[in-house]
Amino acid sequence: MTTKKKIRVCVAGATGWAGSELCKGIVLTADLELVSAVSRKSAGKDLNELLNLSNKQKIPVFGTIEEALAIPCDVLVEYTKPDIAKHQVITAIQHGVNVVVGASGLSDADYEEIGAVADENKQAVLAVGNFAISVVLLNKFAEMAAKYMPNWEIIDYASDAKVDSPSGSTLELANKLAKVSASNKTIPIEDTKGIKETRGADINGMQVHSVRLPGYVIALETIFGMEDEKLILKHEAGNSAKPYVQGALLAIRKVDTFTGLKRGLDNVMDFNS
């Protein structure tokens, strides 16, 4: 009987809040193998020691993606900051490695460029604004609601320490809803009396408001309104990164099932079964 080959994974941002929790999940998963990591602050160390992992083999930590890719891998999970994420994603693609993007802050223009590179190199990129299953369901339900309720706005909540605004989860949702239609505005924003900026930012034809305050981790809310009725869809995250692990593991397993760029975990999930 032939043993199925494990999927070899490199995690960029492996010592971060979400990346470290994912690494712990990977080493406990039979069909995945964590072979390397990227963390500029921890370069040269063993990830096993840094995260107290139970892995028997050394997991080297590198300071750059170029160094990390010297160790063969099948999938890069990108969990770093937007200022370096695009470079690392494109570098991995050009090295024949599929990519799962968990970093937030990349723009639609960034993804257009990434998608073109993926197509050119016949590799796959699965960009996921939020790996939590509740967020995947929120996105799906919001797409359904947008077909019947034409007025909506999005509120994006996060900690005061979050530097990017809006969040990757919000950008992903706005991207999906834009494919349904632009949100209807009874009074055009340019006709607003007073301070127009209080109406939020226009992203793909809908108003988005970002709240950054202590006490929040990540929350995402879409409010649909019609005369005498409204629908509120809201996801709230706690302090742990555990809710994101199962979705990320699913993304790693599914990223080789297509070529090019897909945005959203729902693209590789079966909602019909």
Side-chain angles (χ1 to χ4, degrees), residues 158-207:
S159 134
D160 58 321
K162 188 172 180 61
V163 296
D164 56 300
S165 176
S167 66
S169 305
T170 304
L171 289 172
E172 183 176 297
L173 175 59
N175 176 269
K176 289 180 176 299
L177 292 180
K179 294 176 181 178
V180 179
S181 73
S183 174
N184 180 54
K185 301 176 185 66
T186 304
I187 298 176
I189 301 301
E190 58 270 21
D191 293 339
T192 299
K193 304 299 182 183
I195 302 173
K196 295 179 175 59
E197 288 78 8
T198 61
R199 291 288 290 110
D202 184 314
I203 298 180
N204 295 338
M206 62 207 73
Q207 297 309 113

Side-chain angles (χ1 to χ4, degrees), residues 114-137:
I114 288 169
V117 177
D119 288 336
E120 180 183 350
N121 288 271
K122 295 182 172 54
Q123 296 298 136
V125 177
L126 180 57
V128 182
N130 194 309
F131 290 103
I133 299 303
S134 57
V135 172
V136 177
L137 294 174

Side-chain angles (χ1 to χ4, degrees), residues 51-73:
L51 301 183
N52 195 26
L53 302 177
S54 58
N55 199 63
K56 295 179 181 179
Q57 300 293 327
K58 180 180 178 181
I59 304 173
V61 181
F62 298 94
T64 68
I65 187 64
E66 288 81 2
E67 293 173 299
L69 291 175
I71 295 180
C73 68

Side-chain angles (χ1 to χ4, degrees), residues 14 31 44 50 65 72 100 107 111 115 133 139 155 161 176 192 204 207 209 233 236 246 248 257 260 263 273:
D31 60 329
L50 291 171
I65 187 64
V100 172
S107 67
Y111 279 120
I133 299 303
N139 288 351
I155 306 177
K176 289 180 176 299
T192 299
N204 295 338
Q207 297 309 113
H209 312 264
L233 301 173
E236 290 188 346
Q246 291 306 313
T257 60
R263 296 179 67 176
S273 60

Side-chain angles (χ1 to χ4, degrees), residues 67-87:
E67 293 173 299
L69 291 175
I71 295 180
C73 68
D74 304 301
V75 178
L76 168 72
V77 180
E78 169 51 57
Y79 250 140
T80 63
K81 303 294 184 183
D83 57 338
I84 60 171
K86 185 171 76 168
H87 165 73

Side-chain angles (χ1 to χ4, degrees), residues 230-256:
K230 61 180 177 287
L231 171 66
I232 300 173
L233 301 173
K234 188 173 184 179
H235 155 82
E236 290 188 346
N239 292 314
S240 168
K242 287 182 172 63
Y244 311 116
V245 173
Q246 291 306 313
L249 296 177
L250 174 63
I252 292 168
R253 294 183 179 109
K254 293 288 189 178
V255 71
D256 70 342

